[in-house]
Amino acid sequence: MDELMQTESIVLAPFGAHHVGGALALSRAVGWAHRREDWEMIRSLSEGRVALAGGRVVGTALMTPFGDTCSAINMIIVDESQRGRGVGRKLTTAVLELAGGRECRLTATNDGLPLYEKLGFVATHQILRHQGIAGQVDAPENVEWIDPGALPAIKALDRMAFGADRDAVYNALAREGSFAAIRRGDRIVAFAATRLFGKGEVVGPVVAENSEQARDLLAFILSGKEGRIVRVDIPEQTGLSSPLEDWGLPRGGTVVAMVRGAAVRSDTPAVQTFCLASQAIG
């Protein structure tokens, strides 16, 4: 699987930088908002496979590793002309092999659920997409922008909430966007990130001790984005849909969070993830 694999007229190959243009065309064809920059960011963090037909990219799949214990399986797209031929299954199987013994997480549409269940994934909860033009939001006084020097503390909080090492993801987020945080004394206890994405901006991850902190972080960031297109992806259990709708971000599509080979956590983390960096990487 590390080299080329032939299946009829479809070839699976390692996903290289020269495949980004073809991947971008695929994602646009299925209505995804990703820019070239968004593809380049996720590819830089990942290993992947492309399906080629006559040299043309007709399918993609990526595996984003989080240390040695966890990964995200993402960016699975198959060109409409190649569907029903098992290409999606072959791509997904290929990147699962890249994950090795890591726990694998992904988000699935209802159409994708049957395939992922056959491959050993189990549904855990729903992810809700909120997107719209941000309205007027009052900024709370307990949140502040923070500089890159706080990145080690941010990474530590995320590791506690997510249960795996996403240092490379946060290095990329620091290059692409900005962070806001809530402090208790000199210690950061909650944070949120924001960056450009698709046709607008995205807010996430948001990691906090409770929903009140998460709401304050969102309000602080959205207070500076009035009139802009903003997207926020939230686990359904966070209960943040109502304020997001009040702030001009109505609920849109829903996907299902799934996991394969989940590790059992013995601890109860002091913080949790209230908003995702993206559906691709959690």
Side-chain angles (χ1 to χ4, degrees):
M1 194 61 68
D2 290 333
E3 301 299 327
L4 300 181
M5 185 183 80
Q6 180 76 38
T7 170
E8 300 181 340
S9 61
I10 302 294
V11 175
L12 295 195
F15 194 138
H18 59 292
H19 293 126
V20 170
L24 177 61
L26 271 187
S27 62
R28 285 176 174 168
V30 297
W32 291 11
H34 293 67
R35 306 167 299 155
R36 177 178 287 272
E37 295 88 343
D38 301 321
W39 267 104
E40 289 174 344
M41 175 181 165
I42 187 69
R43 192 202 66 81
S44 73
L45 297 167
S46 310
E47 295 182 72
R49 292 290 182 265
V50 291
L52 303 173
R56 182 173 69 94
V57 176
V58 295
T60 61
L62 293 177
M63 185 281 299
T64 309
F66 306 132
D68 297 326
T69 62
C70 187
S71 68
I73 306 300
N74 52 58
M75 310 306 284
I76 300 172
I77 313 174
V78 177
D79 185 90
E80 186 176 5
S81 67
Q82 302 297 328
R83 293 174 191 168
R85 302 180 59 189
V87 177
R89 185 185 186 103
K90 290 180 173 68
L91 283 165
T92 307
T93 300
V95 292
L96 286 173
E97 290 180 6
L98 293 176
R102 294 179 177 90
E103 173 186 323
C104 296
R105 305 181 189 183
L106 61 74
T107 56
T109 62
N110 288 332
D111 289 342
L113 273 173
L115 169 61
Y116 301 133
E117 288 173 342
K118 289 176 183 176
L119 292 173
F121 283 89
V122 177
T124 56
H125 58 276
Q126 289 190 319
I127 302 294
L128 313 180
R129 184 185 78 242
H130 283 263
Q131 184 169 304
I133 298 175
Q136 183 176 355
V137 183
D138 294 329
E141 297 181 355
N142 60 328
V143 185
E144 62 187 54
W145 293 110
I146 55 175
D147 61 43
L151 201 55
I154 294 300
K155 291 177 178 178
L157 283 175
D158 182 76
R159 199 174 302 121
M160 188 186 307
F162 191 81
D165 179 354
R166 295 202 293 176
D167 283 11
V169 170
Y170 277 85
N171 291 338
L173 292 176
R175 291 191 297 269
E176 298 286 335
S178 305
F179 291 93
I182 295 174
R183 296 181 186 270
R184 184 173 298 124
D186 293 331
R187 185 167 62 92
I188 292 173
V189 295
F191 74 87
T194 184
R195 71 186 194 283
L196 295 176
F197 176 82
K199 297 179 180 179
E201 302 172 57
V202 63
V203 181
V206 174
V207 173
E209 296 173 316
N210 52 59
S211 59
E212 289 78 12
Q213 288 178 344
R215 181 184 171 118
D216 284 348
L217 287 160
L218 286 166
F220 178 83
I221 291 179
L222 290 173
S223 69
K225 299 187 185 299
E226 184 177 355
R228 302 182 197 174
I229 297 173
V230 181
R231 172 172 173 164
V232 183
D233 292 283
I234 62 170
E236 62 176 337
Q237 64 271 26
T238 59
L240 292 172
S241 281
S242 181
L244 287 169
E245 289 175 347
D246 290 342
W247 294 331
L249 309 184
R251 176 174 165 176
T254 301
V255 293
V256 180
M258 306 187 79
V259 65
R260 180 179 188 255
V264 178
R265 295 189 67 167
S266 59
D267 63 323
T268 301
V271 290
Q272 68 181 88
T273 302
F274 284 86
C275 305
L276 310 186
S278 71
Q279 291 184 5
I281 55 177

PDB file of all heavy atoms in Angstrom, residues 53-72:
ATOM      1  N   ALA A  53      -7.530   8.339 -11.982  1.00  0.00           N
ATOM      2  CA  ALA A  53      -8.062   7.722 -13.199  1.00  0.00           C
ATOM      3  C   ALA A  53      -7.456   8.477 -14.369  1.00  0.00           C
ATOM      4  O   ALA A  53      -7.773   9.656 -14.581  1.00  0.00           O
ATOM      5  CB  ALA A  53      -9.584   7.786 -13.239  1.00  0.00           C
ATOM      6  N   GLY A  54      -6.551   7.821 -15.085  1.00  0.00           N
ATOM      7  CA  GLY A  54      -5.857   8.503 -16.168  1.00  0.00           C
ATOM      8  C   GLY A  54      -5.067   9.700 -15.694  1.00  0.00           C
ATOM      9  O   GLY A  54      -4.949  10.700 -16.398  1.00  0.00           O
ATOM     10  N   GLY A  55      -4.529   9.640 -14.468  1.00  0.00           N
ATOM     11  CA  GLY A  55      -3.766  10.736 -13.899  1.00  0.00           C
ATOM     12  C   GLY A  55      -4.604  11.798 -13.228  1.00  0.00           C
ATOM     13  O   GLY A  55      -4.065  12.693 -12.573  1.00  0.00           O
ATOM     14  N   ARG A  56      -5.919  11.736 -13.341  1.00  0.00           N
ATOM     15  CA  ARG A  56      -6.812  12.725 -12.731  1.00  0.00           C
ATOM     16  C   ARG A  56      -7.231  12.265 -11.340  1.00  0.00           C
ATOM     17  O   ARG A  56      -7.554  11.097 -11.137  1.00  0.00           O
ATOM     18  CB  ARG A  56      -8.051  12.918 -13.612  1.00  0.00           C
ATOM     19  CG  ARG A  56      -9.037  13.961 -13.105  1.00  0.00           C
ATOM     20  CD  ARG A  56     -10.140  14.207 -14.129  1.00  0.00           C
ATOM     21  NE  ARG A  56     -11.012  13.054 -14.262  1.00  0.00           N
ATOM     22  CZ  ARG A  56     -12.156  12.900 -13.593  1.00  0.00           C
ATOM     23  NH1 ARG A  56     -12.547  13.817 -12.712  1.00  0.00           N
ATOM     24  NH2 ARG A  56     -12.908  11.842 -13.806  1.00  0.00           N
ATOM     25  N   VAL A  57      -7.228  13.189 -10.376  1.00  0.00           N
ATOM     26  CA  VAL A  57      -7.642  12.871  -9.009  1.00  0.00           C
ATOM     27  C   VAL A  57      -9.151  12.661  -8.987  1.00  0.00           C
ATOM     28  O   VAL A  57      -9.923  13.570  -9.284  1.00  0.00           O
ATOM     29  CB  VAL A  57      -7.250  13.992  -8.029  1.00  0.00           C
ATOM     30  CG1 VAL A  57      -7.782  13.682  -6.626  1.00  0.00           C
ATOM     31  CG2 VAL A  57      -5.734  14.162  -7.976  1.00  0.00           C
ATOM     32  N   VAL A  58      -9.571  11.438  -8.635  1.00  0.00           N
ATOM     33  CA  VAL A  58     -11.006  11.132  -8.554  1.00  0.00           C
ATOM     34  C   VAL A  58     -11.408  10.680  -7.146  1.00  0.00           C
ATOM     35  O   VAL A  58     -12.562  10.314  -6.921  1.00  0.00           O
ATOM     36  CB  VAL A  58     -11.413  10.058  -9.587  1.00  0.00           C
ATOM     37  CG1 VAL A  58     -11.223  10.584 -11.000  1.00  0.00           C
ATOM     38  CG2 VAL A  58     -10.641   8.759  -9.372  1.00  0.00           C
ATOM     39  N   GLY A  59     -10.473  10.727  -6.204  1.00  0.00           N
ATOM     40  CA  GLY A  59     -10.792  10.362  -4.829  1.00  0.00           C
ATOM     41  C   GLY A  59      -9.662  10.760  -3.901  1.00  0.00           C
ATOM     42  O   GLY A  59      -8.497  10.807  -4.314  1.00  0.00           O
ATOM     43  N   THR A  60     -10.004  11.078  -2.653  1.00  0.00           N
ATOM     44  CA  THR A  60      -9.003  11.456  -1.652  1.00  0.00           C
ATOM     45  C   THR A  60      -9.353  10.862  -0.297  1.00  0.00           C
ATOM     46  O   THR A  60     -10.530  10.616   0.004  1.00  0.00           O
ATOM     47  CB  THR A  60      -8.914  12.992  -1.489  1.00  0.00           C
ATOM     48  OG1 THR A  60     -10.189  13.491  -1.042  1.00  0.00           O
ATOM     49  CG2 THR A  60      -8.525  13.675  -2.776  1.00  0.00           C
ATOM     50  N   ALA A  61      -8.340  10.647   0.517  1.00  0.00           N
ATOM     51  CA  ALA A  61      -8.523  10.274   1.920  1.00  0.00           C
ATOM     52  C   ALA A  61      -7.236  10.606   2.656  1.00  0.00           C
ATOM     53  O   ALA A  61      -6.141  10.372   2.130  1.00  0.00           O
ATOM     54  CB  ALA A  61      -8.855   8.792   2.071  1.00  0.00           C
ATOM     55  N   LEU A  62      -7.366  11.147   3.853  1.00  0.00           N
ATOM     56  CA  LEU A  62      -6.212  11.517   4.661  1.00  0.00           C
ATOM     57  C   LEU A  62      -6.291  10.878   6.043  1.00  0.00           C
ATOM     58  O   LEU A  62      -7.379  10.585   6.546  1.00  0.00           O
ATOM     59  CB  LEU A  62      -6.121  13.034   4.827  1.00  0.00           C
ATOM     60  CG  LEU A  62      -5.830  13.876   3.584  1.00  0.00           C
ATOM     61  CD1 LEU A  62      -5.845  15.353   3.943  1.00  0.00           C
ATOM     62  CD2 LEU A  62      -4.509  13.498   2.953  1.00  0.00           C
ATOM     63  N   MET A  63      -5.111  10.678   6.644  1.00  0.00           N
ATOM     64  CA  MET A  63      -4.983  10.229   8.026  1.00  0.00           C
ATOM     65  C   MET A  63      -4.101  11.247   8.730  1.00  0.00           C
ATOM     66  O   MET A  63      -2.935  11.425   8.383  1.00  0.00           O
ATOM     67  CB  MET A  63      -4.366   8.831   8.091  1.00  0.00           C
ATOM     68  CG  MET A  63      -4.294   8.219   9.483  1.00  0.00           C
ATOM     69  SD  MET A  63      -2.922   8.817  10.571  1.00  0.00           S
ATOM     70  CE  MET A  63      -1.471   8.353   9.631  1.00  0.00           C
ATOM     71  N   THR A  64      -4.669  11.934   9.713  1.00  0.00           N
ATOM     72  CA  THR A  64      -3.928  12.934  10.482  1.00  0.00           C
ATOM     73  C   THR A  64      -3.538  12.321  11.818  1.00  0.00           C
ATOM     74  O   THR A  64      -4.403  12.042  12.658  1.00  0.00           O
ATOM     75  CB  THR A  64      -4.780  14.190  10.720  1.00  0.00           C
ATOM     76  OG1 THR A  64      -5.324  14.637   9.471  1.00  0.00           O
ATOM     77  CG2 THR A  64      -3.953  15.299  11.346  1.00  0.00           C
ATOM     78  N   PRO A  65      -2.233  12.067  12.058  1.00  0.00           N
ATOM     79  CA  PRO A  65      -1.828  11.433  13.305  1.00  0.00           C
ATOM     80  C   PRO A  65      -1.742  12.434  14.454  1.00  0.00           C
ATOM     81  O   PRO A  65      -1.301  13.573  14.266  1.00  0.00           O
ATOM     82  CB  PRO A  65      -0.440  10.880  12.972  1.00  0.00           C
ATOM     83  CG  PRO A  65       0.091  11.818  11.929  1.00  0.00           C
ATOM     84  CD  PRO A  65      -1.102  12.291  11.140  1.00  0.00           C
ATOM     85  N   PHE A  66      -2.158  12.010  15.623  1.00  0.00           N
ATOM     86  CA  PHE A  66      -2.008  12.787  16.854  1.00  0.00           C
ATOM     87  C   PHE A  66      -1.101  11.980  17.773  1.00  0.00           C
ATOM     88  O   PHE A  66      -1.561  11.161  18.571  1.00  0.00           O
ATOM     89  CB  PHE A  66      -3.367  13.046  17.497  1.00  0.00           C
ATOM     90  CG  PHE A  66      -4.376  13.689  16.567  1.00  0.00           C
ATOM     91  CD1 PHE A  66      -5.658  13.184  16.454  1.00  0.00           C
ATOM     92  CD2 PHE A  66      -4.030  14.803  15.810  1.00  0.00           C
ATOM     93  CE1 PHE A  66      -6.582  13.770  15.600  1.00  0.00           C
ATOM     94  CE2 PHE A  66      -4.958  15.391  14.948  1.00  0.00           C
ATOM     95  CZ  PHE A  66      -6.234  14.875  14.845  1.00  0.00           C
ATOM     96  N   GLY A  67       0.199  12.184  17.642  1.00  0.00           N
ATOM     97  CA  GLY A  67       1.155  11.362  18.369  1.00  0.00           C
ATOM     98  C   GLY A  67       1.062   9.921  17.901  1.00  0.00           C
ATOM     99  O   GLY A  67       0.689   9.628  16.761  1.00  0.00           O
ATOM    100  N   ASP A  68       1.379   9.007  18.804  1.00  0.00           N
ATOM    101  CA  ASP A  68       1.391   7.582  18.474  1.00  0.00           C
ATOM    102  C   ASP A  68       0.111   6.869  18.867  1.00  0.00           C
ATOM    103  O   ASP A  68      -0.010   5.664  18.646  1.00  0.00           O
ATOM    104  CB  ASP A  68       2.581   6.895  19.170  1.00  0.00           C
ATOM    105  CG  ASP A  68       3.916   7.434  18.691  1.00  0.00           C
ATOM    106  OD1 ASP A  68       4.008   7.796  17.501  1.00  0.00           O
ATOM    107  OD2 ASP A  68       4.857   7.506  19.511  1.00  0.00           O
ATOM    108  N   THR A  69      -0.856   7.589  19.447  1.00  0.00           N
ATOM    109  CA  THR A  69      -2.008   6.907  20.037  1.00  0.00           C
ATOM    110  C   THR A  69      -3.330   7.161  19.331  1.00  0.00           C
ATOM    111  O   THR A  69      -4.283   6.409  19.517  1.00  0.00           O
ATOM    112  CB  THR A  69      -2.172   7.313  21.512  1.00  0.00           C
ATOM    113  OG1 THR A  69      -2.411   8.735  21.581  1.00  0.00           O
ATOM    114  CG2 THR A  69      -0.916   6.968  22.317  1.00  0.00           C
ATOM    115  N   CYS A  70      -3.429   8.227  18.546  1.00  0.00           N
ATOM    116  CA  CYS A  70      -4.731   8.631  18.020  1.00  0.00           C
ATOM    117  C   CYS A  70      -4.561   9.239  16.630  1.00  0.00           C
ATOM    118  O   CYS A  70      -3.474   9.707  16.261  1.00  0.00           O
ATOM    119  CB  CYS A  70      -5.365   9.652  18.969  1.00  0.00           C
ATOM    120  SG  CYS A  70      -7.068  10.125  18.573  1.00  0.00           S
ATOM    121  N   SER A  71      -5.640   9.231  15.856  1.00  0.00           N
ATOM    122  CA  SER A  71      -5.606   9.834  14.522  1.00  0.00           C
ATOM    123  C   SER A  71      -7.007  10.224  14.100  1.00  0.00           C
ATOM    124  O   SER A  71      -7.996   9.766  14.661  1.00  0.00           O
ATOM    125  CB  SER A  71      -5.012   8.857  13.500  1.00  0.00           C
ATOM    126  OG  SER A  71      -5.887   7.757  13.313  1.00  0.00           O
ATOM    127  N   ALA A  72      -7.073  11.068  13.071  1.00  0.00           N
ATOM    128  CA  ALA A  72      -8.335  11.419  12.432  1.00  0.00           C
ATOM    129  C   ALA A  72      -8.300  10.953  10.994  1.00  0.00           C
ATOM    130  O   ALA A  72      -7.313  11.180  10.280  1.00  0.00           O
ATOM    131  CB  ALA A  72      -8.573  12.927  12.491  1.00  0.00           C
TER     132      ALA A  72
END
